Amino acid sequence: MMNLTSPASVRQDCRLIGQTLLKLALPRLVVRAIVIAVALVLWYLVASWILDFGKRMNYDFLHSLGQPTMDMVQKVAPYIWWVAAGIWSLIVFFSVRAWFSASLAAGSATPVGTDVLANLAPNLSEESLGVLRWTWGDRQEPFTVGDLRRSLSEIRHNRIAKIEMVADQAQILDASASRPSRDPRDESRREPRSEVRGETRGDRYVEPRIGGTGR
Protein backbone atom coordinates (compact mmCIF):
# COMPACT_ATOMS: atom_id res chain seq x y z
CA MET A 1 0.00 0.00 0.00
CA MET A 2 1.50 3.33 -0.98
CA ASN A 3 1.60 6.30 1.36
CA LEU A 4 -0.53 9.28 0.42
CA THR A 5 1.18 12.63 0.07
CA SER A 6 0.55 15.34 2.61
CA PRO A 7 -1.86 18.22 1.81
CA ALA A 8 1.11 20.59 1.62
CA SER A 9 2.79 18.37 -0.99
CA VAL A 10 -0.43 18.18 -2.99
CA ARG A 11 -0.74 21.97 -2.95
CA GLN A 12 2.87 22.28 -4.07
CA ASP A 13 2.27 19.89 -6.97
CA CYS A 14 -0.87 21.80 -7.97
CA ARG A 15 1.04 25.07 -7.91
CA LEU A 16 3.81 23.68 -10.12
CA ILE A 17 1.35 22.22 -12.62
CA GLY A 18 -0.65 25.46 -12.65
CA GLN A 19 2.47 27.51 -13.38
CA THR A 20 3.41 25.15 -16.20
CA LEU A 21 -0.09 25.43 -17.68
CA LEU A 22 0.07 29.22 -17.51
CA LYS A 23 3.39 29.29 -19.37
CA LEU A 24 2.05 26.97 -22.04
CA ALA A 25 -1.23 28.84 -22.46
CA LEU A 26 0.14 32.40 -22.26
CA PRO A 27 0.67 32.90 -26.03
CA ARG A 28 -2.86 31.72 -26.80
CA LEU A 29 -4.28 33.84 -23.99
CA VAL A 30 -2.67 36.94 -25.51
CA VAL A 31 -4.00 36.10 -28.97
CA ARG A 32 -7.50 35.51 -27.58
CA ALA A 33 -7.46 38.80 -25.70
CA ILE A 34 -6.38 40.68 -28.83
CA VAL A 35 -8.98 39.02 -31.06
CA ILE A 36 -11.80 39.63 -28.56
CA ALA A 37 -10.73 43.27 -28.13
CA VAL A 38 -10.66 43.82 -31.90
CA ALA A 39 -14.07 42.15 -32.25
CA LEU A 40 -15.53 44.42 -29.55
CA VAL A 41 -14.15 47.54 -31.20
CA LEU A 42 -15.43 46.43 -34.60
CA TRP A 43 -18.84 45.60 -33.13
CA TYR A 44 -19.09 49.00 -31.46
CA LEU A 45 -18.05 50.94 -34.55
CA VAL A 46 -20.46 49.14 -36.87
CA ALA A 47 -23.36 49.24 -34.39
CA SER A 48 -22.82 52.99 -33.85
CA TRP A 49 -22.68 53.55 -37.59
CA ILE A 50 -25.97 51.65 -38.08
CA LEU A 51 -27.76 53.71 -35.41
CA ASP A 52 -26.32 57.01 -36.66
CA PHE A 53 -27.27 56.14 -40.20
CA GLY A 54 -30.81 55.47 -39.05
CA LYS A 55 -30.99 58.86 -37.32
CA ARG A 56 -29.77 60.70 -40.43
CA MET A 57 -32.01 58.76 -42.76
CA ASN A 58 -34.34 61.04 -44.74
CA TYR A 59 -37.71 59.59 -45.69
CA ASP A 60 -38.84 62.40 -47.97
CA PHE A 61 -38.69 60.02 -50.92
CA LEU A 62 -41.84 58.41 -49.51
CA HIS A 63 -43.93 61.60 -49.90
CA SER A 64 -45.70 60.02 -52.85
CA LEU A 65 -47.25 57.47 -50.48
CA GLY A 66 -48.91 60.16 -48.45
CA GLN A 67 -48.26 61.94 -45.20
CA PRO A 68 -49.80 59.22 -42.96
CA THR A 69 -47.39 56.65 -44.41
CA MET A 70 -44.39 58.92 -43.86
CA ASP A 71 -45.43 59.57 -40.26
CA MET A 72 -45.78 55.84 -39.59
CA VAL A 73 -42.37 55.08 -41.15
CA GLN A 74 -40.71 57.80 -39.09
CA LYS A 75 -42.17 56.30 -35.90
CA VAL A 76 -41.20 52.72 -36.74
CA ALA A 77 -37.80 53.46 -38.32
CA PRO A 78 -35.81 53.85 -35.05
CA TYR A 79 -36.90 50.40 -33.91
CA ILE A 80 -35.94 48.93 -37.28
CA TRP A 81 -32.41 50.29 -36.98
CA TRP A 82 -32.14 49.01 -33.42
CA VAL A 83 -33.17 45.58 -34.70
CA ALA A 84 -30.47 45.82 -37.38
CA ALA A 85 -27.90 46.69 -34.70
CA GLY A 86 -29.11 43.72 -32.63
CA ILE A 87 -28.71 41.37 -35.59
CA TRP A 88 -25.18 42.65 -36.10
CA SER A 89 -24.48 42.04 -32.39
CA LEU A 90 -25.68 38.44 -32.66
CA ILE A 91 -23.49 37.85 -35.70
CA VAL A 92 -20.42 39.12 -33.85
CA PHE A 93 -21.26 37.20 -30.67
CA PHE A 94 -21.75 33.80 -32.31
CA SER A 95 -18.72 34.28 -34.56
CA VAL A 96 -16.46 35.11 -31.63
CA ARG A 97 -17.89 32.27 -29.55
CA ALA A 98 -17.28 29.73 -32.32
CA TRP A 99 -13.73 30.96 -32.79
CA PHE A 100 -13.11 30.92 -29.03
CA SER A 101 -14.37 27.33 -28.71
CA ALA A 102 -12.14 26.24 -31.60
CA SER A 103 -9.19 27.99 -29.97
CA LEU A 104 -9.82 26.21 -26.66
CA ALA A 105 -10.02 22.82 -28.42
CA ALA A 106 -6.81 23.51 -30.33
CA GLY A 107 -5.07 24.59 -27.16
CA SER A 108 -6.11 21.44 -25.28
CA ALA A 109 -4.88 19.24 -28.13
CA THR A 110 -1.45 20.89 -28.20
CA PRO A 111 1.27 18.40 -27.12
CA VAL A 112 3.34 19.30 -24.08
CA GLY A 113 6.97 19.68 -25.04
CA THR A 114 9.28 16.88 -23.95
CA ASP A 115 11.61 19.40 -22.32
CA VAL A 116 8.71 20.96 -20.40
CA LEU A 117 7.60 17.57 -19.10
CA ALA A 118 11.16 16.63 -18.24
CA ASN A 119 11.51 19.79 -16.12
CA LEU A 120 8.17 19.31 -14.40
CA ALA A 121 8.22 15.59 -13.56
CA PRO A 122 11.21 15.54 -11.15
CA ASN A 123 9.57 18.20 -8.99
CA LEU A 124 6.32 16.27 -8.51
CA SER A 125 5.59 13.59 -5.94
CA GLU A 126 5.27 9.98 -7.07
CA GLU A 127 1.54 10.02 -6.34
CA SER A 128 0.98 13.10 -8.51
CA LEU A 129 3.02 11.49 -11.27
CA GLY A 130 0.68 8.51 -10.95
CA VAL A 131 -2.24 10.84 -11.65
CA LEU A 132 -0.47 12.15 -14.76
CA ARG A 133 0.10 8.58 -15.95
CA TRP A 134 -3.55 7.72 -15.21
CA THR A 135 -4.75 10.76 -17.19
CA TRP A 136 -2.59 9.88 -20.18
CA GLY A 137 -4.55 6.65 -20.58
CA ASP A 138 -3.53 4.25 -23.34
CA ARG A 139 -0.72 6.60 -24.52
CA GLN A 140 -1.55 6.34 -28.19
CA GLU A 141 -1.05 10.10 -28.56
CA PRO A 142 1.47 12.53 -27.03
CA PHE A 143 0.77 14.03 -23.62
CA THR A 144 -1.20 17.23 -24.27
CA VAL A 145 -2.06 20.46 -22.50
CA GLY A 146 -5.56 19.07 -22.02
CA ASP A 147 -4.12 16.03 -20.24
CA LEU A 148 -2.08 18.27 -17.95
CA ARG A 149 -5.12 20.44 -17.21
CA ARG A 150 -7.20 17.38 -16.40
CA SER A 151 -4.42 16.03 -14.18
CA LEU A 152 -4.50 19.25 -12.18
CA SER A 153 -8.26 18.97 -11.76
CA GLU A 154 -8.05 15.30 -10.76
CA ILE A 155 -5.34 15.96 -8.16
CA ARG A 156 -7.49 18.69 -6.65
CA HIS A 157 -10.45 16.28 -6.53
CA ASN A 158 -8.65 13.52 -4.59
CA ARG A 159 -7.68 11.26 -7.49
CA ILE A 160 -4.58 10.14 -5.54
CA ALA A 161 -6.73 8.43 -2.89
CA LYS A 162 -8.91 6.85 -5.58
CA ILE A 163 -5.88 5.37 -7.35
CA GLU A 164 -4.68 3.93 -4.03
CA MET A 165 -8.11 2.38 -3.44
CA VAL A 166 -8.08 0.83 -6.91
CA ALA A 167 -4.64 -0.68 -6.26
CA ASP A 168 -5.74 -2.15 -2.93
CA GLN A 169 -8.93 -3.61 -4.39
CA ALA A 170 -7.05 -5.09 -7.34
CA GLN A 171 -4.59 -6.72 -4.94
CA ILE A 172 -7.44 -8.24 -2.93
CA LEU A 173 -9.17 -9.63 -6.02
CA ASP A 174 -5.94 -10.91 -7.56
CA ALA A 175 -5.06 -12.70 -4.32
CA SER A 176 -8.49 -14.33 -4.26
CA ALA A 177 -8.12 -15.42 -7.86
CA SER A 178 -4.73 -17.04 -7.18
CA ARG A 179 -6.13 -19.42 -4.54
CA PRO A 180 -6.75 -23.01 -5.80
CA SER A 181 -10.31 -23.66 -6.77
CA ARG A 182 -12.35 -26.22 -4.86
CA ASP A 183 -12.77 -29.64 -6.45
CA PRO A 184 -16.38 -30.87 -6.21
CA ARG A 185 -15.02 -34.42 -5.76
CA ASP A 186 -13.29 -33.32 -2.57
CA GLU A 187 -16.60 -32.16 -1.21
CA SER A 188 -18.20 -35.48 -2.04
CA ARG A 189 -15.42 -37.37 -0.26
CA ARG A 190 -16.01 -35.36 2.90
CA GLU A 191 -19.72 -36.22 2.98
CA PRO A 192 -20.57 -39.44 5.00
CA ARG A 193 -21.89 -42.29 2.96
CA SER A 194 -25.54 -42.97 3.55
CA GLU A 195 -26.26 -46.50 4.79
CA VAL A 196 -28.33 -48.68 2.55
CA ARG A 197 -31.76 -49.11 3.95
CA GLY A 198 -32.07 -52.41 5.81
CA GLU A 199 -28.29 -52.93 6.05
CA THR A 200 -26.04 -52.96 9.03
CA ARG A 201 -22.29 -52.72 8.95
CA GLY A 202 -21.00 -56.06 7.55
CA ASP A 203 -24.45 -57.77 7.44
CA ARG A 204 -27.33 -57.58 5.06
CA TYR A 205 -30.81 -57.53 6.47
CA VAL A 206 -32.99 -60.48 5.46
CA GLU A 207 -36.67 -59.74 5.35
CA PRO A 208 -38.66 -62.35 7.44
CA ARG A 209 -41.16 -64.51 5.61
CA ILE A 210 -44.64 -65.28 6.73
CA GLY A 211 -45.13 -68.82 8.01
CA GLY A 212 -41.75 -69.54 9.45
CA THR A 213 -38.40 -70.03 7.81
CA GLY A 214 -39.76 -71.29 4.54
CA ARG A 215 -38.94 -74.91 5.00
Side-chain angles (χ1 to χ4, degrees):
M1 180 185 297
M2 63 182 177
N3 296 324
L4 294 179
T5 55
S6 64
S9 179
V10 172
R11 287 194 296 269
Q12 175 70 8
D13 291 344
C14 291
R15 185 179 64 83
L16 292 174
I17 295 175
Q19 291 175 351
T20 303
L21 282 172
L22 181 59
K23 292 178 182 178
L24 294 173
L26 187 58
R28 288 185 178 273
L29 291 176
V30 173
V31 172
R32 290 167 189 166
I34 293 174
V35 171
I36 292 176
V38 171
L40 288 175
V41 171
L42 182 62
W43 164 79
Y44 177 77
L45 292 177
V46 175
S48 299
W49 178 84
I50 292 174
L51 295 177
D52 291 340
F53 180 81
K55 292 178 181 178
R56 297 192 305 267
M57 186 69 180
N58 190 350
Y59 301 98
D60 291 341
F61 64 92
L62 297 176
H63 68 279
S64 60
L65 300 177
Q67 189 62 35
T69 301
M70 291 184 60
D71 294 340
M72 183 186 67
V73 170
Q74 289 178 350
K75 291 180 180 180
V76 175
Y79 300 102
I80 295 176
W81 294 111
W82 274 104
V83 170
I87 293 174
W88 163 247
S89 300
L90 292 176
I91 292 174
V92 173
F93 172 76
F94 285 108
S95 299
V96 172
R97 190 178 72 168
W99 173 84
F100 187 76
S101 299
S103 179
L104 288 177
S108 296
T110 302
V112 177
T114 304
D115 55 339
V116 175
L117 204 58
N119 292 330
L120 175 64
N123 298 317
L124 300 178
S125 63
E126 180 59 31
E127 289 77 11
S128 295
L129 287 175
V131 176
L132 267 66
R133 290 190 289 266
W134 176 86
T135 304
W136 197 3
D138 56 4
R139 307 183 185 185
Q140 296 295 323
E141 297 292 336
F143 194 84
T144 63
V145 174
D147 294 330
L148 190 60
R149 186 181 298 116
R150 185 186 175 192
S151 299
L152 177 59
S153 177
E154 292 290 343
I155 292 174
R156 288 173 174 171
H157 289 83
N158 204 26
R159 175 57 60 181
I160 293 176
K162 294 178 182 177
I163 291 177
E164 182 199 22
M165 182 180 294
V166 170
D168 291 342
Q169 292 175 346
Q171 185 177 5
I172 293 171
L173 295 180
D174 291 342
S176 300
S178 62
R179 290 184 302 180
S181 59
R182 294 183 178 180
D183 191 345
R185 292 174 296 180
D186 295 338
E187 297 294 333
S188 63
R189 294 192 189 102
R190 296 194 187 111
E191 295 179 358
R193 295 182 178 178
S194 60
E195 295 183 353
V196 180
R197 183 180 180 183
E199 292 184 4
T200 59
R201 188 172 300 178
D203 298 322
R204 180 176 296 274
Y205 174 76
V206 179
E207 185 177 355
R209 298 180 180 178
I210 300 175
T213 59
R215 290 183 181 178

